[in-house]
Structures are given as C-alpha cells and as structure tokens.
C-alpha cells in the first residue's frame, strides 16, 4: 500500500509556464485535497473533491484548476505560473464517515519554484 | 483574526523534558481537533485526533481540547531527539471540508 503519492518531487518553472502536479492514492478514499504550504506557514486548502467528477474551491483557488475523473487521481493544474505560486504542494485523502473522514493522509509533497 | 493561532517558535528543550504545545482557535463550529507532526521536507503525519472537548492519551503524547476557551494542547512526555519536528494543530467542522491549520511550532529536543 503506497498511500498517497505525488509527482514530481521538485520542479522549477518560468513565469507564465504551466504544469500539472500529479496525485494518486491507492486507499480507495473518496475525499481528496490539495494544500499549499508557504515557508513558516500552515497549510492552506486550494481545492478538494468528494468523489469522481465533483470538485470544489478551498481557501486559495485562484491560479489553479483541478479535475477528478477517477477515484485514485486528483491532478492540480497551474496555468500561467507566477512567483506567488512558489510553495510546497501537498495532496491528501480521507475516507467517508466518522473518524475516517477527519483523518487525512498526506503525500510527500511537490516543491515548486517559479522564477 | 486568523482562525487558528499557533506560536511558530522555535521551542528548544532538553531531552527528557515535558513539552507543551498550544493553539487557540476562533470558530465555534470546529468540532474535530488534530495534531500533525511534520519532519523537514516531508508530508504531515497524523499524531493525535480528538472529537469535541476532553483529553486523549497515546503513549508519550496527550492531546487536550477545551472548547469553552477554544484552546488546544499537545503534551509530550520524556521528549526524545527524534521528536524534533514541526507540530501543526488542525481543526475541522466535519463533512468534506478541508482542515484549517495553525502555522506550526518548530520543536527542537536537545540531546
């Protein structure tokens, strides 16, 4: 059981470029999340999904897009990268109901540098 | 006012000491409270989970929630150098909403 996996681990982008951060979970969880973590800050929610085909905005969605075509995958798309998107991005997943719903499992993160 | 306030530290204590980490929150709708541990360049891992007010103990770790004062605590007994990490408190209203995190406290246990 690999849990939550993310690729790439690290990426440098030029301003205006685009890229997709990949996230896959093998726990058959319905809920998936994208967070960003800036230096010295807690994690902030970008987007989340409660199941295939259903996504919703979090606290800081501007500049990002998501899709959820399968239960396992939840890619995050950056269009027109800006220096303000330099951050560490974490994907997380959780199951439905009770404590399982509140226990989010995190991936190892993707470090993104926009220059 | 931020929803979850947490002193970023760093907090440095000698090995074997009792560590106290704290957060305050402002939203009364929060029902679930968690502590995550994050090692450098790693993802957060869940340490403790508490629903509503009360205490929960797991080995050397004790989590406390006081909803009347909106105060969350984590105590670490017999602290070890391997406990050196950033500790993030997080809260949740329930349902599919994401977690609301504090900034994290950087803890250093000196051998």
């Amino acid at each position: 059981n690999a849990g939550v996996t993310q690729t790439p681990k690290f990426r440098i982008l030029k301003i205006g470029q685009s890229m997709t951060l990949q996230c896959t979970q093998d726990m058959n969880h319905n809920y998936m999340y994208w967070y960003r973590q800036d230096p010295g800050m807690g994690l902030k929610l970008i987007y989340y999904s409660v199941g295939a085909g259903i996504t919703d905005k979090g606290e800081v969605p501007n500049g990002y897009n998501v899709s959820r075509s399968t239960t396992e995958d939840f890619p995050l798309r950056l269009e027109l990268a800006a220096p303000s998107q330099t951050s560490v991005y974490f994907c997380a997943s959780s199951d439905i109901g009770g404590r399982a719903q509140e226990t989010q499992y995190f991936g190892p993160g993707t470090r993104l540098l926009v220059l | 006012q931020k929803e979850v306030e947490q002193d970023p530290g760093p907090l440095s204590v000698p090995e074997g000491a009792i560590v106290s980490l704290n957060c305050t929150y402002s939203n009364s709708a929060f029902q679930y409270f968690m502590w995550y541990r994050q090692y450098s360049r790693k993802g957060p891992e869940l340490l403790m989970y508490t629903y509503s007010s009360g205490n929960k103990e797991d080995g050397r770790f004790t989590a406390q929630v006081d909803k009347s004062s909106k105060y969350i605590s984590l105590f670490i007994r017999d602290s070890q150098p391997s406990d050196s990490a950033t500790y993030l408190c997080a809260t949740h209203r329930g349902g599919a909403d994401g977690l609301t995190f504090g900034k994290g406290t950087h803890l250093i246990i000196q051998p």
Side-chain angles (χ1 to χ4, degrees):
Chain A
N1 220 357
V4 180
T5 57
Q6 293 183 239
T7 57
K9 291 183 180 179
F10 176 67
R11 180 78 181 267
I12 299 175
L13 277 184
K14 294 182 180 178
I15 295 172
Q17 287 184 322
S18 60
M19 76 166 293
T20 299
L21 284 67
Q22 301 292 344
C23 175
T24 300
Q25 53 92 8
D26 62 1
M27 297 174 281
N28 201 34
H29 286 170
N30 281 285
Y31 295 175
M32 294 188 75
Y33 307 84
W34 275 106
Y35 295 87
R36 61 176 286 174
Q37 185 177 32
D38 298 328
M41 304 294 287
L43 285 74
K44 292 185 182 297
L45 183 66
I46 305 172
Y47 270 97
Y48 67 98
S49 170
V50 299
I54 307 170
T55 63
D56 208 346
K57 296 177 180 179
E59 183 183 358
V60 289
N62 291 343
Y64 307 94
N65 278 301
V66 293
S67 60
R68 183 98 180 269
S69 57
T70 67
T71 299
E72 296 78 20
D73 301 307
F74 190 38
L76 178 71
R77 178 82 176 165
L78 276 72
E79 306 282 2
L80 298 174
S84 60
Q85 293 179 304
T86 293
S87 191
V88 182
Y89 292 85
F90 290 102
C91 180
S93 72
S94 66
D95 210 342
I96 295 177
R99 177 195 169 152
Q101 198 165 300
E102 278 66 49
T103 302
Q104 293 189 14
Y105 296 89
F106 284 80
T110 293
R111 293 182 173 273
L112 177 65
L113 179 60
V114 181
L115 299 174
Chain B
Q1 181 186 10
K2 291 185 68 63
E3 287 200 292
V4 180
E5 298 275 6
Q6 185 177 8
D7 186 339
L11 175 63
S12 182
V13 301
E15 182 176 357
I18 296 174
V19 176
S20 174
L21 303 169
N22 308 291
C23 290
T24 59
Y25 65 95
S26 58
N27 191 339
S28 299
F30 290 136
Q31 297 289 332
Y32 303 88
F33 306 92
M34 289 131 248
W35 284 95
Y36 281 82
R37 179 174 62 194
Q38 185 177 26
Y39 291 112
S40 181
R41 295 182 174 269
K42 300 290 185 182
E45 57 174 327
L46 182 68
L47 261 185
M48 301 288 287
Y49 161 91
T50 308
Y51 171 68
S52 194
S53 284
N55 293 0
K56 187 170 186 179
E57 187 173 323
D58 184 359
R60 297 185 295 111
F61 299 90
T62 300
Q64 286 184 354
V65 176
D66 182 346
K67 291 191 71 178
S68 62
S69 59
K70 299 187 176 67
Y71 202 78
I72 312 165
S73 300
L74 178 70
F75 299 96
I76 307 174
R77 292 181 298 280
D78 188 25
S79 56
Q80 305 294 311
S82 59
D83 295 328
S84 298
T86 296
Y87 290 79
L88 297 151
C89 62
T91 64
H92 192 279
R93 293 178 295 181
D97 289 351
L99 299 175
T100 299
F101 283 87
K103 289 184 178 182
T105 298
H106 182 44
L107 175 65
I108 301 167
I109 307 297
Q110 302 166 334

